[in-house]
Amino acid sequence: MNQRTFSVVICVYTEDRWTDILAAVESVRRQSLPPLETLVVVDHNPRLLDRLTDEFAARREAASPGEEVRVLANAGPRGLSAGRNTGISVARGEFVAFLDDDAVAEHDWLRHFAEGYDDPRVMAVGGRTLPVWASGRRPAWFPEEFDWVVGCTYRGLPPGRVPVRNVLGGNASFRRTAFDAAGGFATGIGRDGDRRPLGCEETELCIRLGRALPDAVLLIDDRAVIHHKVPVPRERFRYFRTRAYAEGLSKALVSHSVGSGKGLETERRYTTRVLPAGVARGLRDALLGRPGGAGRACAIVVGVAAAAAGYAVARARARSGVAFSHGPVAAYTPSPEGTA
């Protein structure tokens, strides 16, 4: 394996995650394959931008190779997609990796990503995201098939290093040239601070990438592990239902953009094979007296219904146009908020 150069992008938006942000950055700085740089992109929060600028400016002179941290203001509209595009626009590495601001990467995270790129056809490599429950344990009713609700790898994904339709955005890497071919993340479809928890921006991008480069290969390597915090509010059934509904909204936007064939290809297998097996497993556990079995079966049914409702609502709205767009990644122009 030749030495790979990675730029790691961490998008942040709130001071409430200050400790988490520092832990995420530290996990990148301690990689067995050191990154070329870590780019912390602040989403329209001047106070957080100034605080992070001061924090990492104080460390800059003592930084070793691979420990450089650059703090940038999101140069686009508010939201995760524009923040990622800002990071891409200034990235100097041959590859761009993305890490959630409330996650920490294991020591060999980047090294496992790098191994996947020995094949020149590979344009993206994702990893495995494990939940860290704030309460200390998974809620008994919470089905593993729905771990995507809390941004984690869910039951039903194939193990090992395998080709996939799309990688999961909070634990993923791309060749820098992938964005030259397909453009950046679509704005208006992904997360926007604390507003409704939309997603699927990485799905839409990956499908576009496959269309732009028909021979492209996208992989998931489950050895590239990160640990993602799940706060107490996201352990509750109310969030589960809301997030499932928002996923339906997001899938409808993706389908409108790329067509339902590719937009729902993976989801069809998931809903016809993985979820029925999950319901059966939950009911079996209930019959055997195991805790949470009936709750998990019911949660799967409610989750499917909520996602279907969101999909139907968004498809009806899409007839009058959609509110997201994508294009080439624009050159970075610092905002008046400044950079570090």
Tab-separated table of all heavy atoms in Angstrom, residues 23-59:
chain	number	residue	atom	x	y	z
A	23	ALA	N	-12.603	15.627	21.544
A	23	ALA	CA	-12.310	14.191	21.530
A	23	ALA	C	-12.249	13.658	20.106
A	23	ALA	O	-11.391	12.817	19.782
A	23	ALA	CB	-13.376	13.438	22.331
A	24	ALA	N	-13.140	14.140	19.236
A	24	ALA	CA	-13.123	13.706	17.835
A	24	ALA	C	-11.808	14.107	17.170
A	24	ALA	O	-11.167	13.297	16.480
A	24	ALA	CB	-14.309	14.318	17.087
A	25	VAL	N	-11.407	15.357	17.370
A	25	VAL	CA	-10.152	15.832	16.773
A	25	VAL	C	-8.971	15.044	17.310
A	25	VAL	O	-8.076	14.639	16.553
A	25	VAL	CB	-9.973	17.339	17.044
A	25	VAL	CG1	-8.584	17.797	16.600
A	25	VAL	CG2	-11.048	18.152	16.312
A	26	GLU	N	-8.959	14.798	18.602
A	26	GLU	CA	-7.846	14.068	19.210
A	26	GLU	C	-7.754	12.656	18.650
A	26	GLU	O	-6.652	12.125	18.431
A	26	GLU	CB	-8.005	14.037	20.726
A	26	GLU	CG	-6.799	13.476	21.467
A	26	GLU	CD	-5.534	14.304	21.259
A	26	GLU	OE1	-5.630	15.508	20.942
A	26	GLU	OE2	-4.435	13.725	21.414
A	27	SER	N	-8.897	12.016	18.394
A	27	SER	CA	-8.867	10.661	17.841
A	27	SER	C	-8.279	10.644	16.435
A	27	SER	O	-7.651	9.657	16.038
A	27	SER	CB	-10.270	10.051	17.838
A	27	SER	OG	-11.096	10.588	16.820
A	28	VAL	N	-8.460	11.730	15.688
A	28	VAL	CA	-7.859	11.833	14.358
A	28	VAL	C	-6.362	12.074	14.467
A	28	VAL	O	-5.562	11.492	13.722
A	28	VAL	CB	-8.536	12.966	13.553
A	28	VAL	CG1	-7.832	13.169	12.220
A	28	VAL	CG2	-10.008	12.644	13.313
A	29	ARG	N	-5.951	12.885	15.400
A	29	ARG	CA	-4.527	13.210	15.557
A	29	ARG	C	-3.713	12.007	16.026
A	29	ARG	O	-2.491	11.982	15.866
A	29	ARG	CB	-4.372	14.369	16.544
A	29	ARG	CG	-5.006	15.660	16.050
A	29	ARG	CD	-4.958	16.761	17.078
A	29	ARG	NE	-3.622	17.295	17.262
A	29	ARG	CZ	-3.337	18.352	18.041
A	29	ARG	NH1	-4.293	18.941	18.714
A	29	ARG	NH2	-2.107	18.781	18.154
A	30	ARG	N	-4.381	11.006	16.578
A	30	ARG	CA	-3.684	9.825	17.101
A	30	ARG	C	-3.761	8.632	16.153
A	30	ARG	O	-3.465	7.503	16.549
A	30	ARG	CB	-4.268	9.443	18.469
A	30	ARG	CG	-3.991	10.461	19.561
A	30	ARG	CD	-4.572	10.016	20.896
A	30	ARG	NE	-4.266	10.948	21.968
A	30	ARG	CZ	-3.148	10.938	22.673
A	30	ARG	NH1	-2.230	10.017	22.433
A	30	ARG	NH2	-2.945	11.822	23.637
A	31	GLN	N	-4.095	8.858	14.908
A	31	GLN	CA	-4.218	7.761	13.943
A	31	GLN	C	-2.874	7.100	13.649
A	31	GLN	O	-1.837	7.768	13.592
A	31	GLN	CB	-4.826	8.278	12.641
A	31	GLN	CG	-6.304	8.618	12.737
A	31	GLN	CD	-7.153	7.398	13.004
A	31	GLN	OE1	-7.178	6.442	12.218
A	31	GLN	NE2	-7.845	7.412	14.144
A	32	SER	N	-2.909	5.777	13.418
A	32	SER	CA	-1.690	5.066	13.035
A	32	SER	C	-1.212	5.508	11.654
A	32	SER	O	-0.016	5.437	11.363
A	32	SER	CB	-1.928	3.557	13.054
A	32	SER	OG	-2.961	3.188	12.144
A	33	LEU	N	-2.131	5.938	10.808
A	33	LEU	CA	-1.787	6.590	9.546
A	33	LEU	C	-2.131	8.061	9.721
A	33	LEU	O	-3.295	8.445	9.634
A	33	LEU	CB	-2.579	6.000	8.378
A	33	LEU	CG	-2.393	6.699	7.020
A	33	LEU	CD1	-0.949	6.592	6.548
A	33	LEU	CD2	-3.346	6.103	5.979
A	34	PRO	N	-1.144	8.907	10.005
A	34	PRO	CA	-1.452	10.302	10.316
A	34	PRO	C	-2.098	11.014	9.132
A	34	PRO	O	-1.680	10.839	7.985
A	34	PRO	CB	-0.077	10.905	10.634
A	34	PRO	CG	0.790	9.740	10.968
A	34	PRO	CD	0.292	8.612	10.114
A	35	PRO	N	-3.126	11.829	9.387
A	35	PRO	CA	-3.723	12.603	8.304
A	35	PRO	C	-2.818	13.753	7.900
A	35	PRO	O	-1.953	14.180	8.669
A	35	PRO	CB	-5.017	13.119	8.920
A	35	PRO	CG	-4.685	13.267	10.373
A	35	PRO	CD	-3.754	12.113	10.685
A	36	LEU	N	-3.011	14.243	6.710
A	36	LEU	CA	-2.305	15.449	6.286
A	36	LEU	C	-2.789	16.654	7.084
A	36	LEU	O	-2.005	17.538	7.445
A	36	LEU	CB	-2.542	15.681	4.792
A	36	LEU	CG	-1.911	16.919	4.157
A	36	LEU	CD1	-0.385	16.801	4.185
A	36	LEU	CD2	-2.419	17.096	2.723
A	37	GLU	N	-4.100	16.674	7.388
A	37	GLU	CA	-4.694	17.802	8.102
A	37	GLU	C	-6.066	17.382	8.624
A	37	GLU	O	-6.677	16.443	8.117
A	37	GLU	CB	-4.871	19.001	7.152
A	37	GLU	CG	-5.760	18.662	5.954
A	37	GLU	CD	-5.770	19.717	4.871
A	37	GLU	OE1	-5.223	20.814	5.098
A	37	GLU	OE2	-6.338	19.451	3.795
A	38	THR	N	-6.515	18.097	9.653
A	38	THR	CA	-7.882	17.971	10.144
A	38	THR	C	-8.565	19.313	9.942
A	38	THR	O	-8.051	20.345	10.379
A	38	THR	CB	-7.917	17.578	11.625
A	38	THR	OG1	-7.208	16.346	11.813
A	38	THR	CG2	-9.338	17.413	12.114
A	39	LEU	N	-9.707	19.305	9.276
A	39	LEU	CA	-10.450	20.516	8.970
A	39	LEU	C	-11.717	20.534	9.808
A	39	LEU	O	-12.581	19.661	9.655
A	39	LEU	CB	-10.802	20.568	7.481
A	39	LEU	CG	-9.618	20.432	6.516
A	39	LEU	CD1	-10.108	20.266	5.078
A	39	LEU	CD2	-8.696	21.640	6.633
A	40	VAL	N	-11.825	21.494	10.711
A	40	VAL	CA	-13.009	21.645	11.560
A	40	VAL	C	-13.838	22.779	10.977
A	40	VAL	O	-13.401	23.926	10.963
A	40	VAL	CB	-12.622	21.938	13.010
A	40	VAL	CG1	-13.866	22.100	13.882
A	40	VAL	CG2	-11.723	20.836	13.566
A	41	VAL	N	-15.028	22.447	10.470
A	41	VAL	CA	-15.876	23.426	9.780
A	41	VAL	C	-17.033	23.795	10.696
A	41	VAL	O	-17.817	22.931	11.101
A	41	VAL	CB	-16.405	22.869	8.448
A	41	VAL	CG1	-17.219	23.929	7.721
A	41	VAL	CG2	-15.247	22.388	7.572
A	42	VAL	N	-17.136	25.083	11.012
A	42	VAL	CA	-18.131	25.583	11.963
A	42	VAL	C	-19.326	26.142	11.201
A	42	VAL	O	-19.175	26.995	10.328
A	42	VAL	CB	-17.517	26.668	12.865
A	42	VAL	CG1	-18.545	27.141	13.892
A	42	VAL	CG2	-16.260	26.138	13.564
A	43	ASP	N	-20.504	25.667	11.560
A	43	ASP	CA	-21.723	26.003	10.822
A	43	ASP	C	-22.419	27.236	11.409
A	43	ASP	O	-23.295	27.123	12.259
A	43	ASP	CB	-22.677	24.808	10.828
A	43	ASP	CG	-23.839	24.984	9.851
A	43	ASP	OD1	-23.737	25.832	8.946
A	43	ASP	OD2	-24.841	24.267	9.995
A	44	HIS	N	-22.005	28.419	10.939
A	44	HIS	CA	-22.696	29.674	11.251
A	44	HIS	C	-22.891	29.873	12.753
A	44	HIS	O	-23.999	30.179	13.224
A	44	HIS	CB	-24.040	29.726	10.513
A	44	HIS	CG	-23.881	29.727	9.020
A	44	HIS	ND1	-23.766	30.879	8.279
A	44	HIS	CD2	-23.800	28.704	8.135
A	44	HIS	CE1	-23.635	30.576	6.995
A	44	HIS	NE2	-23.636	29.255	6.888
A	45	ASN	N	-21.791	29.730	13.485
A	45	ASN	CA	-21.785	29.962	14.925
A	45	ASN	C	-20.507	30.724	15.260
A	45	ASN	O	-19.469	30.114	15.559
A	45	ASN	CB	-21.842	28.620	15.671
A	45	ASN	CG	-21.954	28.784	17.178
A	45	ASN	OD1	-21.511	29.785	17.749
A	45	ASN	ND2	-22.527	27.793	17.847
A	46	PRO	N	-20.534	32.070	15.181
A	46	PRO	CA	-19.314	32.857	15.376
A	46	PRO	C	-18.635	32.617	16.718
A	46	PRO	O	-17.398	32.605	16.800
A	46	PRO	CB	-19.810	34.306	15.246
A	46	PRO	CG	-21.062	34.218	14.438
A	46	PRO	CD	-21.691	32.908	14.817
A	47	ARG	N	-19.413	32.431	17.758
A	47	ARG	CA	-18.806	32.220	19.067
A	47	ARG	C	-18.019	30.916	19.098
A	47	ARG	O	-16.890	30.866	19.613
A	47	ARG	CB	-19.899	32.217	20.141
A	47	ARG	CG	-19.369	32.017	21.543
A	47	ARG	CD	-20.474	32.173	22.570
A	47	ARG	NE	-20.018	31.815	23.904
A	47	ARG	CZ	-20.761	31.896	25.004
A	47	ARG	NH1	-22.002	32.346	24.912
A	47	ARG	NH2	-20.282	31.541	26.169
A	48	LEU	N	-18.601	29.854	18.569
A	48	LEU	CA	-17.893	28.571	18.515
A	48	LEU	C	-16.681	28.672	17.605
A	48	LEU	O	-15.611	28.111	17.899
A	48	LEU	CB	-18.836	27.472	18.026
A	48	LEU	CG	-18.240	26.071	17.866
A	48	LEU	CD1	-17.662	25.554	19.176
A	48	LEU	CD2	-19.293	25.097	17.330
A	49	LEU	N	-16.806	29.387	16.491
A	49	LEU	CA	-15.682	29.572	15.570
A	49	LEU	C	-14.514	30.237	16.283
A	49	LEU	O	-13.362	29.776	16.190
A	49	LEU	CB	-16.122	30.411	14.371
A	49	LEU	CG	-15.046	30.710	13.338
A	49	LEU	CD1	-14.672	29.457	12.555
A	49	LEU	CD2	-15.518	31.804	12.380
A	50	ASP	N	-14.784	31.307	17.017
A	50	ASP	CA	-13.715	32.019	17.728
A	50	ASP	C	-13.087	31.131	18.797
A	50	ASP	O	-11.856	31.124	18.981
A	50	ASP	CB	-14.275	33.284	18.371
A	50	ASP	CG	-14.654	34.351	17.353
A	50	ASP	OD1	-14.204	34.249	16.190
A	50	ASP	OD2	-15.405	35.275	17.721
A	51	ARG	N	-13.915	30.403	19.496
A	51	ARG	CA	-13.397	29.560	20.581
A	51	ARG	C	-12.497	28.459	20.038
A	51	ARG	O	-11.417	28.188	20.589
A	51	ARG	CB	-14.567	28.972	21.366
A	51	ARG	CG	-14.158	28.262	22.640
A	51	ARG	CD	-15.386	27.771	23.394
A	51	ARG	NE	-14.989	27.038	24.587
A	51	ARG	CZ	-15.825	26.345	25.362
A	51	ARG	NH1	-17.117	26.331	25.068
A	51	ARG	NH2	-15.370	25.692	26.424
A	52	LEU	N	-12.925	27.811	18.943
A	52	LEU	CA	-12.098	26.763	18.345
A	52	LEU	C	-10.843	27.333	17.709
A	52	LEU	O	-9.769	26.714	17.758
A	52	LEU	CB	-12.915	25.997	17.303
A	52	LEU	CG	-13.957	25.027	17.858
A	52	LEU	CD1	-14.894	24.553	16.745
A	52	LEU	CD2	-13.292	23.828	18.530
A	53	THR	N	-10.961	28.518	17.102
A	53	THR	CA	-9.785	29.166	16.524
A	53	THR	C	-8.728	29.395	17.595
A	53	THR	O	-7.541	29.088	17.408
A	53	THR	CB	-10.183	30.502	15.877
A	53	THR	OG1	-11.105	30.253	14.819
A	53	THR	CG2	-8.964	31.224	15.321
A	54	ASP	N	-9.145	29.912	18.740
A	54	ASP	CA	-8.204	30.160	19.836
A	54	ASP	C	-7.639	28.847	20.371
A	54	ASP	O	-6.438	28.748	20.668
A	54	ASP	CB	-8.906	30.917	20.965
A	54	ASP	CG	-9.284	32.347	20.583
A	54	ASP	OD1	-8.731	32.857	19.583
A	54	ASP	OD2	-10.142	32.925	21.270
A	55	GLU	N	-8.478	27.837	20.484
A	55	GLU	CA	-8.046	26.548	21.039
A	55	GLU	C	-6.920	25.933	20.209
A	55	GLU	O	-5.897	25.490	20.755
A	55	GLU	CB	-9.238	25.590	21.097
A	55	GLU	CG	-8.913	24.176	21.524
A	55	GLU	CD	-8.624	24.056	23.010
A	55	GLU	OE1	-9.062	24.935	23.782
A	55	GLU	OE2	-7.952	23.067	23.399
A	56	PHE	N	-7.088	25.923	18.894
A	56	PHE	CA	-6.112	25.230	18.054
A	56	PHE	C	-4.965	26.123	17.620
A	56	PHE	O	-3.893	25.620	17.277
A	56	PHE	CB	-6.813	24.574	16.870
A	56	PHE	CG	-7.681	23.425	17.283
A	56	PHE	CD1	-9.066	23.520	17.238
A	56	PHE	CD2	-7.126	22.268	17.785
A	56	PHE	CE1	-9.865	22.477	17.644
A	56	PHE	CE2	-7.912	21.214	18.203
A	56	PHE	CZ	-9.291	21.318	18.136
A	57	ALA	N	-5.146	27.435	17.666
A	57	ALA	CA	-4.022	28.334	17.405
A	57	ALA	C	-2.963	28.162	18.485
A	57	ALA	O	-1.755	28.204	18.218
A	57	ALA	CB	-4.501	29.781	17.350
A	58	ALA	N	-3.404	27.937	19.706
A	58	ALA	CA	-2.463	27.762	20.816
A	58	ALA	C	-1.643	26.493	20.672
A	58	ALA	O	-0.536	26.391	21.209
A	58	ALA	CB	-3.231	27.741	22.137
A	59	ARG	N	-2.156	25.512	19.940
A	59	ARG	CA	-1.446	24.238	19.781
A	59	ARG	C	-0.619	24.181	18.509
A	59	ARG	O	0.145	23.242	18.312
A	59	ARG	CB	-2.455	23.086	19.726
A	59	ARG	CG	-3.427	23.010	20.878
A	59	ARG	CD	-4.287	21.772	20.727
A	59	ARG	NE	-5.363	21.695	21.701
A	59	ARG	CZ	-6.132	20.644	21.862
A	59	ARG	NH1	-5.945	19.566	21.115
A	59	ARG	NH2	-7.103	20.633	22.751
